Amino acid sequence: MPPSLHATVRAVTERIQARSRNSRAAYLDRCERAQRELGPMRGLSCANLAHGFAALPANDKLKLRVEQAPNLGIVTAYNDMLSAHQPYERFPGVIREAARAVGAVAQVAGGVPAMCDGITQGNPGMELSLFSRDAIAMSTAVALSHNTFDAALMLGVCDKIVPGLLMGALQFGHLPVIFVPAGPMATGLSNKEKARVRQLYATGQVGRDALLEAESQAYHGAGTCTFYGTANSNQMLMEIMGLHLPGAAFVHPDSGLRDALTAAAAQRAIALAARGDGYLPLARIVDERAVVNAIVGLLATGGSTNHTIHLVAMARAAGVLIDWNDFDELSRVTPLLARVYPNGAADVNHFHAAGGVAFVIRELLEAGLLHEDVETVAGRGLARYTQEPVMTDGALRWRDGPLVSGDPEVLATAPAPFSPEGGLRLMDGNLGRGVIKVSAVAPEHRVVEAPARVFDTQEGLQAAFEAGELDRDVVAVVRFQGPNANGMPELHRLTPALGALQDAGHRVALVTDGRMSGASGKVPAVIHVGPEALAGGPLARVRDGDRLRVDAVAGTLTWLGDEAEFAARAAAPAPDDLFDRFSVGRGLFGLFRRHARGAEQGGSALDLSEADAAVQTAPAVAK
């Protein structure tokens, strides 16, 4: 008999269901009407049909023209600059052959942009990063807008790409959709050693040649970066939400198993299509229970803080409304089961070898922390995802995943976890409302009380560090970094400097309305603080020397002093050049900045749900 669902998981789920009742019902109604009234329109117009199959090989064209065979759409984030997406170059060929083997056709429906935060970190392009997610969602909608497909495969891996693909695909929730990962690169230089060299470079102890050599040894081949940041958190989420085939997340790109999983995903999507007996649209998979499972999985593995934004936006696209209280409440009952860099020494290859996602899901199911009775692309029930794929005599099969951790330093059990709580905290107080990831922060660093040093740009903090002005206890405030200000760039480039200050024995914390990397590490960082400074939030009233308290144990973020005096202060003006963003493409994203909602509402400028569409969104400031 399966264990009963944990009371907190049940209560949070029921609260989300109640909160989402109207928006979810409206979303499902739209999807049902689309399935009933639209469907693939190949039979409605000869011109539509001819345009759609004009470039296909003769046999594929005949299947669509005469047999009305199922047609599988491929939406791909392929480019050969980004290591994580380079393997997708060959995937369409694998998918087409797999589709033909079951009497179907597959076409690349369209491509979506894929940018890398690791490349744009600390550079102007990072100000496009968050909103590239909205552009990807829109590009996905364009790709599927031709209404010629019975099902779709989403080919994407990294930070904004998977959330954007899902947000776009959910607008076509009447279609079956499966996500197809590419897998991680082989293990190179350890993440711990890479971070050590970065910090040595930040303090001037090694030169650029040594830094580049270390980075090149860490990032050295095709596949996802091996640390557990947003990209690999994405893959775990797609699996625990039932949108991958079981065990697909962390299989190497060049293995035969990877191609077998890709082919199987194509054939499974076709089997789920409307013309098959087992029709299962995306809208029925991504529901309140799947979203709660995703949050729990994120917390149990110490996943990316970026998903306190992305998961909100993805859920809203399915009519499901969540907030940071949901994350916080679930975090307090979810055990930390994984130690993967930055909250451990292992990388995702080590995590996968130790038991990986299948082990985590089994432990969470047995602890009553996941909804088992959900729909997935592999069939009903999340227990299917406690299995792992293998090749046996040239054929793809699934077997039960390991019952015992292959490395107790990397994967723990739910009864004996690394921590009894997940790695995320809601932070609230008179400085606003934000989140902090504490799974990689040592207990002795989780409470910091120190004078503030205020910066309006990350370059300002970097310059102060290099000048020795931060060689003391300090709470660094970096403001005007929110969605409406400059697109909410990640500030991970500041990590080596802040880490060096902490290692020197200082009490150090970061407070910002911007983002940190999904690999946020050992320095306590309260991020996504809202209301953002541009909207007149409390961070706009903080001055150098103010005493601030960051208490990740109590979950408080506090300006210490006379609150009446603080409230009466005038907000600092935005930097004069904040809106001078007409270089390297940033000006094109002004519409997104003006209309973006706050981080806790998903940071999107798109109308993702009935709740969004009902709100008249006004620009935060005149521009």
Side-chain angles (χ1 to χ4, degrees), residues 82-102:
L82 303 186
S83 63
H85 294 89
Q86 185 272 344
Y88 285 135
E89 182 175 19
R90 73 171 190 274
F91 280 32
V94 174
I95 293 165
R96 291 187 191 102
E97 289 305 312
R100 288 170 183 144
V102 292

Side-chain angles (χ1 to χ4, degrees), residues 207-228:
R208 182 179 174 82
D209 288 348
L211 177 64
L212 183 57
E213 179 61 26
E215 299 287 353
S216 298
Q217 290 179 26
Y219 308 116
H220 60 89
T224 318
C225 305
T226 60
F227 61 85
Y228 194 51

